[in-house]
Amino acid sequence: MLRFYTAGESHGQALLAFVSGLPAGLRIDVGAINHELHRRQLGYGRGGRQKIEKDQAEIFAGVRHGQTIGAPIALRIENRDWENWEKILPVEASSAPEASSRKLVAPRPGHADLAGSQKFNFHDARYVLERASARETAARVAAGSFARQLLAQFGVRIASHTIQVGHIRLDRAAGWEEIRAICEDLESSLRCVDAQVQEKMKTEVDAALKAGDTVGGAFEIVAHGVPVGLGSHAQWDEKLDGKLAQALMSVQAVKAVEIGSGILAAGSYGSEVQDEISYDKKARKFQRGSNRAGGLEGGITNGEDVVIRGFLKPISTLRKPLGTADMVTKEPVKAAYERSDWCVVPAGGVAGEAMVALVLADAFLQKFGGDSLAETRRNFDSYGRQIDEF
Ligand SMILES: Cc1cc2nc3c(=O)[nH]c(=O)nc-3n(C[C@H](O)[C@H](O)[C@H](O)COP(=O)(O)O)c2cc1C
């Protein structure tokens, strides 16, 4: 139903995003898109690139008079760094010395450099790393903002917070309001709900910087107000937990995904894990005393908050480089270094929020359909009555 693509190289002219499948009549707040883009640029442990860029979305198609018109949406985010790269990465063939000045032949272990160069038959990882780079997540975040704006119309909101940086973990659960507040706190260095734990996390980031190293971690995303019944148990590829896991895993450097208390559950008894069900006769509502399932049972949302975590490896560009083999000479060398972040957990969380929004919006439109927002709303309201009367 809802599809999106991105295009663009990290140091190319711009990033592009295409979104299609949104109903007509959805009011679009461009300021909200730019706000999400700004949030993606924040976080303690980011490299110099964020000082150059000031990401802003320019919409070219699919939105007129402030609302969607049922046509595909196209948008662009300019790369300010392009002026430094125009001669290095020109679109046209070039014999200028700059055009071969930034070849990368010493592949970084953990990056896409070597596998991508072998696959596409380049003896220069530049083309591969330009597209593998997480600069691409800016386009996802802009696309995701459309999905968020649709979901918000139906009371669904999404937020993330940092739960781990390196060896430092937040060892308590956080409530929705707390997460929402920290998510919007643009002053927060690592977007951790506990100020003391955050200070320890910052020390971990500082230690990595000092050692010429990098540090990973984890973020948790919560989708609040999700109606019961998105996704389906009926086919493997309709299961919403599977779709969410794939979407989050596709964020650069995410190497594991957990839904609810999935990892803890694997080492527990069934009686310790399942969320008991009761019925509130006054509110005429089923409810659960806990949410260890993370809002998903059988690949279907159950009306509780959807809770999903992404675990990021430490990124692979190290100032103190690891050993590698030169792609041309085949001799042992040190891996290439170029300007890089050293901790990206909060930014990874913002990219993850966008992916969760896009998957939930797609599932939402599969369930409720509608070529116009008014039609989607009628379907949603009618289903709401069915649930109330169940
Ligand atoms: C927000 C964000 C920023 C990133 N910045 C960098 C970076 O500056 N340098 C780097 O080597 N990797 C960075 N990465 C990770 C790489 O893009 C990623 O490791 C690489 O594309 C290989 O993909 P994989 O780790 O998913 O296998 C970043 C990831 C995210 C989510």
Side-chain angles (χ1 to χ4, degrees), residues 40 46 108 110-112 132-134 137 251-255 312-313 315-317 340-341 344 347-348:
R40 193 203 71 93
R46 306 302 300 278
R108 294 161 295 174
H111 218 292
S133 158
T137 57
V251 174
Q252 290 83 340
V254 170
K255 293 295 146 192
L312 292 144
K313 74 181 185 191
I315 57 178
S316 49
T317 307
S340 182
D341 300 320
V344 299

